[in-house]
Amino acid sequence: MDTKLAEVVLHIDESTSHDEREKFRDVVLAMAGVMAADSNDKTPHLMLIEYNPDVINSIEFVNAAKKHGLHAELAGL
């Protein structure tokens, strides 16, 4: 059985430190259905997330950001 994969870019409005981004990335990686999450210090407001849309809806990434005091929007690829 093949696993469906989708990608989305999460745009985080706030300026965050490298450590803050890593902590939030760990939160995203712990979510069921997330296969990968990555951010880069050169583009600190963006996080690329690869996930299984049969398991998790992308709006949950925005909700997770909100729970961690961040404002974020989705940008599809």
Side-chain angles (χ1 to χ4, degrees):
M1 178 185 271
D2 290 330
T3 302
K4 269 191 203 176
L5 292 179
E7 290 182 336
V8 69
V9 174
L10 184 69
H11 180 272
I12 298 170
D13 296 341
E14 288 80 13
S15 293
T16 55
S17 70
H18 175 83
D19 289 340
E20 290 169 327
R21 286 190 301 280
E22 289 293 304
K23 286 178 185 175
F24 183 63
R25 182 184 64 97
D26 291 344
V27 168
V28 172
L29 285 171
M31 299 171 80
V34 174
M35 306 303 175
D38 193 31
S39 64
N40 186 308
D41 288 340
K42 292 182 182 180
T43 54
H45 291 278
L46 304 178
M47 179 178 287
L48 178 63
I49 304 168
E50 187 174 7
Y51 66 101
N52 182 337
D54 288 339
V55 176
I56 188 168
N57 188 305
S58 60
I59 196 67
E60 293 305 317
F61 308 131
V62 174
N63 294 338
K66 187 175 181 179
K67 286 180 186 176
H68 286 83
L70 301 170
H71 298 89
E73 302 84 27
L74 297 173
L77 293 177

